[in-house]
Amino acid sequence: MSQGRRPIILDVDTGIDDALALALAVRSSRAELVAVTTLAGNVDIERATANTLAVLDWLGTTEVPVHRGASRPLVRPHVDAAYVHGTNGLGNADLPASVRTIGGDRGPAAIVRLATSRPGELTLVCVGPLTNLAIALNVEPGLADLLDRVVVMGGAYAVPGNVTPRAEFNVYADPEAAAQVFAAPFPRLTVIGLDVSHQTALPRAVWEATRATGSDPHPAATLVVEVCRRSFIERGMTGFYLHDPLALAAALDPSLVTTEGSTVAVALGGEERGMTWITGPGNVQVARTVDAERFLAGFYETLGLPALAVDQRTLHPE
Ligand code: BDR
Ligand code: CA
């Protein structure tokens, strides 16, 4: 780790909360953002990649390479989440388009190359469907031992899903990829499911206070204002779930969550598609509890948001 910073590859389908995870990775003094890989999920691959570049440019981070990855799930057609993220994936916020070029190799190839060139050093944080990681594992079965850690945002274990009554979006979008990743022999694989991410929403009151600050806030704070506007104003939400920032934060500070070593099964088809459940002990560290207060305090501080104390139980987020 350079100067105590954990080297991170962030795998995204940008997406509002993916954008906020990118902001956290860029701003955190605990993270060295080595590369970003993209894939189809919340939006199609072209849009996910364009959004990722635009967000990084907005944050003033033009040197981090962005590698375009999987354009569709392993087996199934692409499903998006425009109902949450807006048609452009960023809550219809109008960020300036980036003019820089993407990295020379594709997402899964970049993951394999970087993990091989820095064996045992890198943490891979996957906050979209698990397609890129499944492909990377397929072409480099030794990947599990080449990465220091993997943190995944995916699944709903003891709580309902958010796409169907049983399924969480990232697993639902590519269940075959999720099944392959959860069955791989990762020595350190942490999974952040809705069980914990549904305890960590950005309250509308914090967003409003950020917006009211007005004069020259940090680009990360204005990013929050822009990408959450649709959810809070047009859709009248009182909170926005910070699924992906929580996964990134748990990669930087594993003590934010407690976990249980589990074997995770994934339903591949039918009405149960994307359902995740624990079949017994195993190597997948499924998050059971989260210190939501400490996570939110760190998130606010790092992104330059006002630290208002809001009871999560009063929120109705999306
Ligand atoms: C996950 O699905 C996506 O819509 C979000 O970006 C997050 O990664 C939450 O279920
Ligand atoms: Ca995501």
PDB file of all heavy atoms in Angstrom, residues 10-14 36-40 45 48-50 52-53 66-71 107-108 132:
ATOM      1  N   LEU A  10     -11.960  -0.498  -9.219  1.00  0.00           N
ATOM      2  CA  LEU A  10     -13.391  -0.351  -8.985  1.00  0.00           C
ATOM      3  C   LEU A  10     -14.135  -0.730 -10.266  1.00  0.00           C
ATOM      4  O   LEU A  10     -13.874  -0.162 -11.334  1.00  0.00           O
ATOM      5  CB  LEU A  10     -13.685   1.098  -8.565  1.00  0.00           C
ATOM      6  CG  LEU A  10     -15.084   1.454  -8.072  1.00  0.00           C
ATOM      7  CD1 LEU A  10     -15.598   0.521  -6.999  1.00  0.00           C
ATOM      8  CD2 LEU A  10     -15.077   2.903  -7.540  1.00  0.00           C
ATOM      9  N   ASP A  11     -15.035  -1.704 -10.145  1.00  0.00           N
ATOM     10  CA  ASP A  11     -15.777  -2.252 -11.286  1.00  0.00           C
ATOM     11  C   ASP A  11     -17.213  -1.723 -11.194  1.00  0.00           C
ATOM     12  O   ASP A  11     -17.932  -2.048 -10.247  1.00  0.00           O
ATOM     13  CB  ASP A  11     -15.734  -3.785 -11.187  1.00  0.00           C
ATOM     14  CG  ASP A  11     -16.326  -4.487 -12.385  1.00  0.00           C
ATOM     15  OD1 ASP A  11     -15.874  -4.227 -13.512  1.00  0.00           O
ATOM     16  OD2 ASP A  11     -17.245  -5.312 -12.186  1.00  0.00           O
ATOM     17  N   VAL A  12     -17.621  -0.908 -12.168  1.00  0.00           N
ATOM     18  CA  VAL A  12     -18.847  -0.118 -12.022  1.00  0.00           C
ATOM     19  C   VAL A  12     -19.782  -0.246 -13.233  1.00  0.00           C
ATOM     20  O   VAL A  12     -19.347  -0.500 -14.357  1.00  0.00           O
ATOM     21  CB  VAL A  12     -18.510   1.388 -11.852  1.00  0.00           C
ATOM     22  CG1 VAL A  12     -17.847   1.674 -10.518  1.00  0.00           C
ATOM     23  CG2 VAL A  12     -17.633   1.873 -13.008  1.00  0.00           C
ATOM     24  N   ASP A  13     -21.073   0.048 -12.969  1.00  0.00           N
ATOM     25  CA  ASP A  13     -22.069   0.165 -14.049  1.00  0.00           C
ATOM     26  C   ASP A  13     -22.767   1.528 -13.879  1.00  0.00           C
ATOM     27  O   ASP A  13     -23.963   1.602 -13.686  1.00  0.00           O
ATOM     28  CB  ASP A  13     -23.077  -0.996 -14.013  1.00  0.00           C
ATOM     29  CG  ASP A  13     -23.852  -1.098 -12.705  1.00  0.00           C
ATOM     30  OD1 ASP A  13     -23.309  -0.728 -11.635  1.00  0.00           O
ATOM     31  OD2 ASP A  13     -25.021  -1.527 -12.725  1.00  0.00           O
ATOM     32  N   THR A  14     -21.994   2.559 -13.902  1.00  0.00           N
ATOM     33  CA  THR A  14     -22.375   3.908 -13.412  1.00  0.00           C
ATOM     34  C   THR A  14     -23.648   4.449 -14.039  1.00  0.00           C
ATOM     35  O   THR A  14     -23.688   4.816 -15.195  1.00  0.00           O
ATOM     36  CB  THR A  14     -21.205   4.882 -13.691  1.00  0.00           C
ATOM     37  OG1 THR A  14     -19.999   4.264 -13.270  1.00  0.00           O
ATOM     38  CG2 THR A  14     -21.397   6.212 -12.996  1.00  0.00           C
ATOM     39  N   VAL A  36     -10.404   1.791 -13.206  1.00  0.00           N
ATOM     40  CA  VAL A  36     -11.848   1.572 -13.141  1.00  0.00           C
ATOM     41  C   VAL A  36     -12.231   0.725 -14.350  1.00  0.00           C
ATOM     42  O   VAL A  36     -11.773   0.989 -15.469  1.00  0.00           O
ATOM     43  CB  VAL A  36     -12.612   2.913 -13.157  1.00  0.00           C
ATOM     44  CG1 VAL A  36     -14.118   2.665 -13.100  1.00  0.00           C
ATOM     45  CG2 VAL A  36     -12.182   3.799 -11.987  1.00  0.00           C
ATOM     46  N   THR A  37     -13.044  -0.305 -14.111  1.00  0.00           N
ATOM     47  CA  THR A  37     -13.569  -1.114 -15.206  1.00  0.00           C
ATOM     48  C   THR A  37     -15.081  -0.920 -15.239  1.00  0.00           C
ATOM     49  O   THR A  37     -15.705  -0.701 -14.203  1.00  0.00           O
ATOM     50  CB  THR A  37     -13.202  -2.602 -15.021  1.00  0.00           C
ATOM     51  OG1 THR A  37     -13.574  -3.021 -13.691  1.00  0.00           O
ATOM     52  CG2 THR A  37     -11.712  -2.815 -15.193  1.00  0.00           C
ATOM     53  N   THR A  38     -15.654  -0.988 -16.434  1.00  0.00           N
ATOM     54  CA  THR A  38     -17.079  -0.711 -16.571  1.00  0.00           C
ATOM     55  C   THR A  38     -17.796  -1.926 -17.149  1.00  0.00           C
ATOM     56  O   THR A  38     -17.163  -2.819 -17.734  1.00  0.00           O
ATOM     57  CB  THR A  38     -17.315   0.484 -17.517  1.00  0.00           C
ATOM     58  OG1 THR A  38     -16.865   0.138 -18.834  1.00  0.00           O
ATOM     59  CG2 THR A  38     -16.562   1.718 -17.034  1.00  0.00           C
ATOM     60  N   LEU A  39     -19.108  -1.947 -16.972  1.00  0.00           N
ATOM     61  CA  LEU A  39     -19.898  -3.009 -17.597  1.00  0.00           C
ATOM     62  C   LEU A  39     -21.350  -2.590 -17.668  1.00  0.00           C
ATOM     63  O   LEU A  39     -21.768  -1.623 -17.016  1.00  0.00           O
ATOM     64  CB  LEU A  39     -19.755  -4.346 -16.845  1.00  0.00           C
ATOM     65  CG  LEU A  39     -20.545  -4.571 -15.567  1.00  0.00           C
ATOM     66  CD1 LEU A  39     -20.579  -6.059 -15.240  1.00  0.00           C
ATOM     67  CD2 LEU A  39     -19.949  -3.821 -14.399  1.00  0.00           C
ATOM     68  N   ALA A  40     -22.097  -3.319 -18.499  1.00  0.00           N
ATOM     69  CA  ALA A  40     -23.529  -3.062 -18.633  1.00  0.00           C
ATOM     70  C   ALA A  40     -24.243  -3.493 -17.369  1.00  0.00           C
ATOM     71  O   ALA A  40     -23.976  -4.567 -16.825  1.00  0.00           O
ATOM     72  CB  ALA A  40     -24.078  -3.827 -19.835  1.00  0.00           C
ATOM     73  N   ILE A  45     -23.501  -0.470 -21.849  1.00  0.00           N
ATOM     74  CA  ILE A  45     -22.054  -0.337 -21.659  1.00  0.00           C
ATOM     75  C   ILE A  45     -21.511   1.010 -22.147  1.00  0.00           C
ATOM     76  O   ILE A  45     -20.610   1.585 -21.524  1.00  0.00           O
ATOM     77  CB  ILE A  45     -21.300  -1.526 -22.311  1.00  0.00           C
ATOM     78  CG1 ILE A  45     -19.802  -1.454 -22.028  1.00  0.00           C
ATOM     79  CG2 ILE A  45     -21.556  -1.609 -23.811  1.00  0.00           C
ATOM     80  CD1 ILE A  45     -19.423  -1.509 -20.572  1.00  0.00           C
ATOM     81  N   ALA A  48     -22.573   3.478 -19.473  1.00  0.00           N
ATOM     82  CA  ALA A  48     -21.846   3.250 -18.209  1.00  0.00           C
ATOM     83  C   ALA A  48     -20.418   3.773 -18.313  1.00  0.00           C
ATOM     84  O   ALA A  48     -19.886   4.378 -17.373  1.00  0.00           O
ATOM     85  CB  ALA A  48     -21.849   1.762 -17.855  1.00  0.00           C
ATOM     86  N   THR A  49     -19.807   3.560 -19.469  1.00  0.00           N
ATOM     87  CA  THR A  49     -18.422   3.995 -19.657  1.00  0.00           C
ATOM     88  C   THR A  49     -18.349   5.520 -19.776  1.00  0.00           C
ATOM     89  O   THR A  49     -17.500   6.168 -19.139  1.00  0.00           O
ATOM     90  CB  THR A  49     -17.818   3.316 -20.904  1.00  0.00           C
ATOM     91  OG1 THR A  49     -18.000   1.906 -20.776  1.00  0.00           O
ATOM     92  CG2 THR A  49     -16.337   3.614 -21.045  1.00  0.00           C
ATOM     93  N   ALA A  50     -19.274   6.090 -20.567  1.00  0.00           N
ATOM     94  CA  ALA A  50     -19.297   7.552 -20.716  1.00  0.00           C
ATOM     95  C   ALA A  50     -19.569   8.219 -19.369  1.00  0.00           C
ATOM     96  O   ALA A  50     -18.936   9.233 -19.019  1.00  0.00           O
ATOM     97  CB  ALA A  50     -20.357   7.953 -21.743  1.00  0.00           C
ATOM     98  N   THR A  52     -18.874   7.038 -16.399  1.00  0.00           N
ATOM     99  CA  THR A  52     -17.700   6.866 -15.534  1.00  0.00           C
ATOM    100  C   THR A  52     -16.635   7.915 -15.860  1.00  0.00           C
ATOM    101  O   THR A  52     -16.070   8.562 -14.957  1.00  0.00           O
ATOM    102  CB  THR A  52     -17.127   5.442 -15.721  1.00  0.00           C
ATOM    103  OG1 THR A  52     -18.159   4.509 -15.413  1.00  0.00           O
ATOM    104  CG2 THR A  52     -15.934   5.197 -14.831  1.00  0.00           C
ATOM    105  N   LEU A  53     -16.385   8.088 -17.152  1.00  0.00           N
ATOM    106  CA  LEU A  53     -15.397   9.096 -17.564  1.00  0.00           C
ATOM    107  C   LEU A  53     -15.859  10.499 -17.168  1.00  0.00           C
ATOM    108  O   LEU A  53     -15.056  11.307 -16.665  1.00  0.00           O
ATOM    109  CB  LEU A  53     -15.190   9.025 -19.087  1.00  0.00           C
ATOM    110  CG  LEU A  53     -14.446   7.790 -19.595  1.00  0.00           C
ATOM    111  CD1 LEU A  53     -14.663   7.624 -21.098  1.00  0.00           C
ATOM    112  CD2 LEU A  53     -12.949   7.893 -19.285  1.00  0.00           C
ATOM    113  N   VAL A  66      -9.692   4.033 -17.448  1.00  0.00           N
ATOM    114  CA  VAL A  66     -11.035   3.440 -17.460  1.00  0.00           C
ATOM    115  C   VAL A  66     -11.074   2.411 -18.583  1.00  0.00           C
ATOM    116  O   VAL A  66     -10.772   2.734 -19.735  1.00  0.00           O
ATOM    117  CB  VAL A  66     -12.107   4.531 -17.683  1.00  0.00           C
ATOM    118  CG1 VAL A  66     -13.490   3.902 -17.853  1.00  0.00           C
ATOM    119  CG2 VAL A  66     -12.107   5.530 -16.519  1.00  0.00           C
ATOM    120  N   HIS A  67     -11.422   1.174 -18.229  1.00  0.00           N
ATOM    121  CA  HIS A  67     -11.424   0.080 -19.203  1.00  0.00           C
ATOM    122  C   HIS A  67     -12.853  -0.398 -19.419  1.00  0.00           C
ATOM    123  O   HIS A  67     -13.502  -0.839 -18.467  1.00  0.00           O
ATOM    124  CB  HIS A  67     -10.565  -1.082 -18.695  1.00  0.00           C
ATOM    125  CG  HIS A  67      -9.130  -0.701 -18.485  1.00  0.00           C
ATOM    126  ND1 HIS A  67      -8.209  -0.735 -19.499  1.00  0.00           N
ATOM    127  CD2 HIS A  67      -8.476  -0.247 -17.378  1.00  0.00           C
ATOM    128  CE1 HIS A  67      -7.031  -0.333 -19.034  1.00  0.00           C
ATOM    129  NE2 HIS A  67      -7.172  -0.035 -17.748  1.00  0.00           N
ATOM    130  N   ARG A  68     -13.295  -0.331 -20.661  1.00  0.00           N
ATOM    131  CA  ARG A  68     -14.655  -0.783 -20.965  1.00  0.00           C
ATOM    132  C   ARG A  68     -14.711  -2.308 -20.888  1.00  0.00           C
ATOM    133  O   ARG A  68     -13.846  -2.997 -21.426  1.00  0.00           O
ATOM    134  CB  ARG A  68     -15.060  -0.318 -22.358  1.00  0.00           C
ATOM    135  CG  ARG A  68     -16.515  -0.635 -22.661  1.00  0.00           C
ATOM    136  CD  ARG A  68     -16.988   0.040 -23.922  1.00  0.00           C
ATOM    137  NE  ARG A  68     -16.290  -0.447 -25.078  1.00  0.00           N
ATOM    138  CZ  ARG A  68     -15.996   0.284 -26.152  1.00  0.00           C
ATOM    139  NH1 ARG A  68     -16.320   1.547 -26.190  1.00  0.00           N
ATOM    140  NH2 ARG A  68     -15.365  -0.249 -27.172  1.00  0.00           N
ATOM    141  N   GLY A  69     -15.759  -2.808 -20.198  1.00  0.00           N
ATOM    142  CA  GLY A  69     -15.870  -4.252 -20.000  1.00  0.00           C
ATOM    143  C   GLY A  69     -17.098  -4.846 -20.674  1.00  0.00           C
ATOM    144  O   GLY A  69     -17.478  -4.435 -21.772  1.00  0.00           O
ATOM    145  N   ALA A  70     -17.723  -5.783 -19.960  1.00  0.00           N
ATOM    146  CA  ALA A  70     -18.776  -6.608 -20.561  1.00  0.00           C
ATOM    147  C   ALA A  70     -19.964  -5.776 -21.030  1.00  0.00           C
ATOM    148  O   ALA A  70     -20.477  -4.938 -20.291  1.00  0.00           O
ATOM    149  CB  ALA A  70     -19.250  -7.648 -19.551  1.00  0.00           C
ATOM    150  N   SER A  71     -20.418  -6.064 -22.248  1.00  0.00           N
ATOM    151  CA  SER A  71     -21.542  -5.316 -22.814  1.00  0.00           C
ATOM    152  C   SER A  71     -22.874  -6.024 -22.565  1.00  0.00           C
ATOM    153  O   SER A  71     -23.927  -5.496 -22.884  1.00  0.00           O
ATOM    154  CB  SER A  71     -21.341  -5.113 -24.315  1.00  0.00           C
ATOM    155  OG  SER A  71     -21.203  -6.368 -24.940  1.00  0.00           O
ATOM    156  N   GLY A 107     -12.229  -4.559 -19.807  1.00  0.00           N
ATOM    157  CA  GLY A 107     -12.361  -4.690 -18.362  1.00  0.00           C
ATOM    158  C   GLY A 107     -11.772  -5.962 -17.762  1.00  0.00           C
ATOM    159  O   GLY A 107     -10.858  -5.903 -16.920  1.00  0.00           O
ATOM    160  N   PRO A 108     -12.259  -7.153 -18.177  1.00  0.00           N
ATOM    161  CA  PRO A 108     -11.726  -8.379 -17.569  1.00  0.00           C
ATOM    162  C   PRO A 108     -10.226  -8.550 -17.822  1.00  0.00           C
ATOM    163  O   PRO A 108      -9.493  -9.013 -16.940  1.00  0.00           O
ATOM    164  CB  PRO A 108     -12.533  -9.487 -18.255  1.00  0.00           C
ATOM    165  CG  PRO A 108     -13.788  -8.827 -18.726  1.00  0.00           C
ATOM    166  CD  PRO A 108     -13.400  -7.421 -19.085  1.00  0.00           C
ATOM    167  N   ASN A 132     -17.862  -9.015 -15.409  1.00  0.00           N
ATOM    168  CA  ASN A 132     -16.419  -8.822 -15.650  1.00  0.00           C
ATOM    169  C   ASN A 132     -15.583  -9.761 -14.790  1.00  0.00           C
ATOM    170  O   ASN A 132     -14.602 -10.353 -15.261  1.00  0.00           O
ATOM    171  CB  ASN A 132     -16.005  -7.378 -15.337  1.00  0.00           C
ATOM    172  CG  ASN A 132     -16.322  -6.412 -16.457  1.00  0.00           C
ATOM    173  OD1 ASN A 132     -16.573  -6.819 -17.585  1.00  0.00           O
ATOM    174  ND2 ASN A 132     -16.309  -5.121 -16.141  1.00  0.00           N
TER     175      ASN A 132
END
